[in-house]
């Protein structure tokens, strides 16, 4: 057993990549692995999970069951994961059997908003004002320090707008506190930002760091709706965001890929919102606008292959497909000229559930304005309005 990769030694073709999690990110990672000649073995909850559908093999079971984890690890050559809500203790068990990338230490930081913000502060990355909330006294102290309105969030298990409440006044303070679990919580001051952006960064076993272009993101109902690549910001600000992302990757000693979500303030400041040590929804545009996309870059990093410089040959807009309303448009989507569809194979199109995405490409340097984007989205144009 080898608990860690050796720098400069790449896994050979037909090696098996173990992916913890059977969702769409695991699915697209497995498809990228297959292009490079690797096999994927997914640890998932059900036989019908999106990642299982395209993988060479699957283990079905709980992510915190030692017997399941041991059986899974012994069948693969390297382990990675496709979402943060994986048992960090389970990853600790896995790391004693096979290399795990990104590491369990990084996962623990990204799983806990308090640890995440503390880490970011330690490397000099700016974040929104925040306070830890453990009880009613610290709740009121946070409200006094941050002012209304502010956001109250769980420190763990939150995604796509879940696990958080907007507190607009003192009357709603206690109700928000009681509604959120598990405790402790984090109170975050609202940021007067002009734009939300993100950067995908990959770092190899040998320390090579590669950043994709800065992406501009727009959310709807707490879920990412549209991504624009490149972000419509000045070059110095884009380079500032990329430099910050590189610093985070190196500070974490990352191996694999990482998404960094940021706010751009009205005065040009860049504040880090969250980090995600895995492929990220806001990087899906790379699947059609780059020769090497975020998923292939991730596979290359965790298997020790060289990391090429990211190249964007086209400008792009990514539109998420969410819930039954977007699924009802599927016949029109696949018939529309210029929409590049990616469906995840989920049987149930529940409200608020991501079922796929589409990419639209434009000539490099030719990303249009709002009217042009709406026209290019065709049947999805009305759905993409603010």
């Amino acid at each position: 057993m080898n608990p860690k990769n050796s720098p400069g030694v790449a896994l050979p073709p037909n090696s098996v990549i173990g992916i913890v999690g059977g969702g769409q990110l695991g699915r697209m990672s497995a498809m990228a692995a297959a292009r490079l000649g690797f096999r994927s073995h997914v640890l998932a909850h059900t036989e019908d999970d999106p990642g299982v559908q395209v993988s060479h093999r699957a283990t079905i079971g709980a992510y915190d069951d030692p017997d399941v984890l041991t059986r899974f690890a012994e069948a693969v050559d390297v382990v990675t994961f496709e979402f943060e809500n994986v048992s960090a203790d389970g990853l600790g068990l896995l790391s004693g059997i096979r290399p795990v990338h990104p590491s369990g230490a990084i996962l623990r930081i990204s799983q806990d908003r308090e640890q995440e913000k503390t880490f970011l502060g330690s490397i000099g990355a700016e974040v929104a004002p925040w306070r830890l909330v453990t009880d009613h006294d610290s709740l009121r102290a946070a409200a006094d320090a941050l002012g209304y309105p502010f956001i109250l969030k769980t420190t763990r298990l939150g995604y796509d707008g879940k696990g958080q409440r907007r507190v607009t006044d003192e009357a709603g303070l206690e109700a928000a506190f009681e509604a959120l679990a598990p405790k402790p919580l984090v109170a975050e001051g609202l940021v007067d930002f002009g734009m939300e952006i993100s950067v995908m960064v990959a770092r190899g076993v040998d320390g090579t760091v590669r950043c994709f272009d800065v992406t501009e993101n727009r959310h709807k109902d707490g879920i990412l709706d549209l991504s624009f690549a490149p972000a419509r910001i000045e070059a110095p600000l884009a380079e500032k965001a990329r430099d910050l992302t590189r610093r985070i990757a190196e500070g974490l000693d990352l191996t694999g890929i990482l998404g960094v979500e940021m706010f751009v303030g009205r005065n040009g400041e860049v504040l880090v919102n969250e980090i995600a040590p895995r492929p990220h929804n806001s990087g899906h545009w790379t699947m059609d606008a780059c020769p090497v996309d975020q998923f292939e870059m991730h596979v290359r990093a965790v298997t020790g292959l060289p990391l090429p410089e990211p190249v964007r040959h086209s400008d792009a807009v990514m539109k998420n497909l969410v819930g039954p309303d977007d699924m009802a448009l599927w016949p029109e989507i696949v018939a529309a000229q210029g929409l590049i569809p990616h469906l995840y194979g989920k049987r149930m199109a529940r409200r608020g559930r991501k079922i796929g995405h589409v990419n639209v490409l434009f000539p490099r340097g030719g990303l249009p304005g709002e009217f042009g984007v709406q026209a290019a989205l065709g049947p999805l144009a009305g759905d993409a309005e603010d």
Side-chain angles (χ1 to χ4, degrees):
M1 297 182 184
N2 180 14
K4 62 181 181 179
N5 282 6
S6 299
V9 179
L11 292 177
N14 288 314
S15 295
V16 180
I17 302 173
I19 302 173
V20 180
Q24 64 262 23
L25 299 179
R27 176 190 182 95
M28 292 180 275
S29 296
M31 293 167 73
R35 291 199 306 270
L36 292 173
F38 295 113
R39 303 184 182 208
S40 294
H41 183 149
V42 172
L43 174 59
H45 283 312
T46 76
E47 293 280 0
D48 201 36
D49 282 358
V52 177
Q53 296 170 16
V54 301
S55 296
H56 176 70
R57 187 177 169 190
T59 294
I60 307 303
Y63 301 141
D64 57 357
D65 185 322
D67 292 335
V68 169
L69 293 171
T70 299
R71 189 167 71 250
F72 167 72
E74 290 177 344
V76 306
D77 296 299
V78 66
V79 175
T80 189
F81 49 90
E82 61 111 35
F83 73 126
E84 289 98 316
N85 293 339
V86 177
S87 164
D89 290 338
L91 280 179
L93 185 154
L94 292 171
S95 65
I97 303 173
R98 292 291 183 266
V100 175
H101 302 305
S103 68
I106 296 175
L107 182 72
R108 285 184 174 88
I109 291 172
S110 69
Q111 281 180 332
D112 188 293
R113 286 190 171 99
E114 181 192 4
Q115 290 192 41
E116 182 180 68
K117 293 176 185 299
T118 301
F119 162 74
L120 291 169
S122 74
I123 63 167
E126 292 186 67
V127 299
W130 68 282
R131 295 291 188 277
L132 183 66
V133 174
T134 58
D135 53 25
H136 294 279
D137 289 341
S138 57
L139 174 67
R140 294 191 174 278
D144 290 341
L146 300 173
Y148 296 102
F150 67 90
I151 306 294
L152 197 60
K153 299 181 178 181
T154 57
T155 56
R156 302 175 62 82
L157 306 178
Y159 64 96
D160 286 346
K162 299 177 176 64
Q164 58 182 267
R165 291 290 184 95
R166 183 186 178 100
V167 184
T168 58
D169 53 39
E170 187 175 357
L173 195 59
E174 297 297 333
F177 180 79
E178 296 300 334
L180 295 174
K183 306 292 193 298
L185 307 175
V186 164
E188 292 182 2
L190 291 183
V191 177
D192 182 21
F193 63 89
M195 184 183 297
E196 294 180 70
I197 61 172
S198 60
V199 179
M200 299 305 304
V201 58
R203 185 171 183 268
V205 174
D206 64 354
T208 299
V209 178
R210 304 294 192 200
C211 283
F212 285 92
D213 285 336
V214 182
T215 305
E216 176 185 344
N217 300 311
R218 186 180 300 168
H219 290 76
K220 183 178 180 180
D221 299 326
I223 300 173
L224 180 63
D225 182 37
L226 289 167
S227 289
F228 303 86
R232 294 169 291 190
I233 57 177
E234 297 295 326
L237 190 57
E239 192 54 39
K240 181 179 180 180
R242 285 159 58 94
D243 285 343
L244 177 57
T245 301
R246 291 187 193 97
R247 196 159 79 240
I248 291 170
E250 290 171 346
L252 290 169
D253 195 21
L254 172 74
T255 297
I257 201 158
L258 176 84
V260 180
E261 297 180 70
M262 292 169 269
F263 299 122
V264 177
R266 301 287 181 186
N267 297 320
E269 66 273 26
V270 178
L271 305 179
V272 179
N273 181 29
E274 292 182 353
I275 61 173
R278 52 165 173 79
H280 194 267
N281 195 176
S282 68
H284 288 353
W285 63 269
T286 65
M287 297 175 72
D288 298 299
C290 301
V292 177
D293 66 24
Q294 66 162 337
F295 298 100
E296 180 176 330
M297 199 73 82
H298 180 55
V299 170
R300 284 173 171 267
V302 302
T303 59
L305 291 180
L307 302 186
E309 191 68 42
V311 175
R312 175 178 52 80
H313 55 69
S314 303
D315 289 0
V317 172
M318 188 282 300
K319 170 76 172 73
N320 264 331
L321 304 178
V322 180
D325 293 342
D326 286 345
M327 192 66 216
L329 294 172
W330 183 247
E332 298 171 61
I333 291 168
V334 293
Q337 185 73 24
L339 298 186
I340 306 173
H342 299 266
L343 204 61
Y344 303 151
K346 297 179 180 180
R347 292 194 182 275
M348 299 294 292
R350 294 192 298 268
R351 189 162 302 282
R353 189 185 200 195
K354 298 171 188 171
I355 57 170
H357 69 273
V358 299
N359 286 329
V360 185
L361 301 184
F362 304 91
R364 186 177 171 91
L367 188 67
E370 291 297 324
F371 289 115
V373 169
Q374 292 293 317
L377 287 172
L380 293 164
D383 187 49
E385 294 176 355
D386 282 342

